[in-house]
Amino acid sequence: MEAKGWITGDESAKEMLGRVLSRARPFLLLPPLHRVPLRPRNVLEIVGPSPSAKTHLLIQAALTCVLPIDWNGVHYGGFDGFVIFIDLDCRFDIFRFSHLLKLRLASGSISEIDREQNNNTKERSSIAYDEELYTLCMRRFLYVRCYDSFEFLATLKTLHYRIQKEKAYGTCVHMLLIDSIGAFHWIDRASTCLPLRGNNNRKSHSIQAVLETVVQEIRKLLLLHPMLAIATKATLFGNRAMNEAKCRNLRKPDTSNSQSGGITALQLPYREYMPSVWQTFVTHRILLRPSDDHLAVSDDQNHSVYFSEWLMPSLSFLDKFIVKEVSSLLHEVYEG
């Protein structure tokens, strides 16, 4: 009887294949993140000066994740999953997220022309959307704000139990989003020592030790709960450093060791300040930068134009895109 119970499976072959294939299926995100297939346990770093639409891309990724594939006969093309958004920059606007979600819900059942007319003529409060679906999507979005490295570490250590709780309700966590991973770097660096609170006898934490613990906790989460991790990071010196690097022909990194972070500081088109423990943890990296151009989409709207370049893996072209409230639109492609 015990042997029979051991042989009896907990799931059918169809259920097993569905579970495995759903995890292995790459995430199809909106431009400009659509160029490279991203899979669970990947760590994508979105790097660029401020402003370069980094947070907006995080929001668009979160919206795509919480939206369902289909709802009441309407196709939304989402991932039907749960999102954890950790705000280290402390400037995230939840009302903007709510507004963009309503626009995405409204755009699922109307044409592109009608959508543009609605965006130009209607007030935010008059957007027609499914309130039941809106409530469901907002429940799938967990927002956490951290004000220092200790709160960030404490949040990472407790996420495992929160994810288990969501799984108990049948919700699968698909994404871990971190806005401004280097937000506390300079504060921690300026401090001569960071003693642990409440215990002066324990060893103080250096920047390297803090980042090692952060990477260790994120790695544990990705191992126990396969999901995609996306983090934004601000660059130093903005466009000037990037333009100087372009002139020195330092665009193309060495991809022979891309999975282990084989890009050196001299090969990056910006000055790297994060410790090597984080750089080697990143599996994918995309560089964003603003331009001085503006694109007139309608009679009364001009949109800022941005450039994106995949550094890891290295691609031989640049994407030129604009940011709209509903999505990010690819405008042109420049071959390198």
Side-chain angles (χ1 to χ4, degrees):
M1 188 65 182
E2 294 181 358
K4 183 178 179 180
W6 181 81
I7 294 175
T8 303
D10 296 329
E11 58 183 354
S12 64
K14 181 180 179 180
E15 293 173 341
M16 185 273 293
L17 288 175
R19 173 174 55 83
V20 174
L21 293 177
S22 63
R23 290 183 177 181
R25 187 178 300 129
F27 293 97
L28 301 178
L29 300 176
L30 295 175
L33 303 181
H34 67 302
R35 293 295 185 184
V36 176
L38 300 170
R39 302 180 183 275
R41 296 194 176 98
N42 285 160
V43 179
L44 169 64
E45 183 183 73
I46 303 177
V47 59
S50 181
S52 56
K54 300 187 297 296
T55 302
H56 185 84
L57 293 186
L58 281 188
I59 293 176
Q60 293 295 346
L63 293 175
T64 303
C65 187
V66 299
L67 284 170
I69 301 176
D70 298 284
W71 179 271
N72 292 338
V74 179
H75 180 73
Y76 293 97
F79 301 151
D80 211 5
F82 194 86
V83 172
I84 300 174
F85 192 105
I86 303 179
D87 181 17
L88 305 184
D89 200 34
C90 300
R91 294 190 298 178
F92 181 79
D93 187 357
I94 191 63
F95 295 103
R96 174 169 172 76
F97 178 84
S98 173
H99 172 63
L100 293 179
L101 175 59
K102 293 176 182 179
L103 288 178
R104 288 285 293 270
L105 294 178
S107 66
S109 56
I110 59 178
S111 65
E112 180 70 23
I113 297 177
D114 292 336
R115 183 189 312 160
E116 291 295 336
Q117 293 176 350
N118 290 343
N119 291 342
N120 295 336
T121 61
K122 289 187 177 181
E123 299 295 334
R124 292 190 174 190
S125 59
S126 62
I127 300 175
Y129 61 93
D130 191 319
E131 294 186 1
E132 181 183 357
L133 180 55
Y134 169 80
T135 302
L136 175 63
C137 292
M138 290 299 292
R139 288 176 179 173
R140 292 174 174 175
F141 181 75
L142 174 61
Y143 172 75
V144 182
R145 175 175 290 185
C146 301
Y147 293 94
D148 55 45
S149 297
F150 294 106
E151 290 188 4
F152 184 33
L153 287 175
T155 299
L156 292 176
K157 288 182 177 294
T158 58
L159 282 183
H160 170 66
Y161 303 100
R162 180 58 189 264
I163 294 175
Q164 284 185 321
K165 182 179 178 181
E166 294 298 331
K167 285 186 175 181
Y169 290 102
T171 304
C172 182
V173 180
H174 284 31
M175 288 187 184
L176 173 63
L177 308 180
I178 303 174
D179 195 9
S180 192
I181 187 65
F184 309 131
H185 175 81
W186 302 108
I187 298 176
D188 295 345
R189 184 175 178 178
S191 303
T192 56
C193 62
L194 294 174
L196 293 178
R197 297 174 180 175
N199 193 339
N200 295 328
N201 296 326
R202 296 182 64 181
K203 185 178 179 180
S204 61
H205 274 186
S206 63
I207 298 178
Q208 182 74 16
V210 171
L211 261 297
E212 287 178 356
T213 308
V214 167
V215 169
Q216 181 181 5
E217 293 299 327
I218 298 178
R219 182 178 283 114
K220 287 181 181 178
L221 287 173
L222 298 184
L223 181 62
L224 296 175
H225 313 283
M227 54 184 169
L228 173 64
I230 305 178
T232 64
K233 184 182 68 178
T235 56
L236 288 179
F237 305 126
N239 293 333
R240 178 180 178 183
M242 286 187 289
N243 291 335
E244 291 177 354
K246 295 286 184 181
C247 295
R248 294 195 301 266
N249 295 324
L250 298 179
R251 279 186 54 208
K252 295 186 177 181
D254 180 12
T255 59
S256 60
N257 193 22
S258 61
Q259 294 298 322
S260 60
I263 297 180
T264 63
L266 291 178
Q267 292 171 315
L268 291 174
Y270 56 89
R271 180 182 175 185
E272 181 60 74
Y273 58 90
M274 294 290 286
S276 59
V277 63
W278 170 259
Q279 298 182 45
T280 56
F281 181 56
V282 172
T283 61
H284 298 73
R285 181 178 287 112
I286 184 173
L287 173 66
L288 306 180
R289 58 188 178 91
S291 70
D292 297 330
D293 299 333
H294 290 80
L295 182 64
V297 178
S298 60
D299 294 337
D300 57 347
Q301 285 186 336
N302 287 327
H303 294 271
S304 299
V305 178
Y306 303 91
F307 290 98
S308 66
E309 177 185 6
W310 280 94
L311 302 180
M312 189 165 62
S314 177
L315 301 182
S316 59
F317 54 83
L318 301 175
D319 281 331
K320 186 177 181 181
F321 67 97
I322 62 174
V323 171
K324 301 178 64 178
E325 285 192 316
V326 179
S327 62
S328 303
L329 297 181
L330 189 63
H331 179 49
E332 294 178 2
V333 178
Y334 294 89
E335 296 291 339

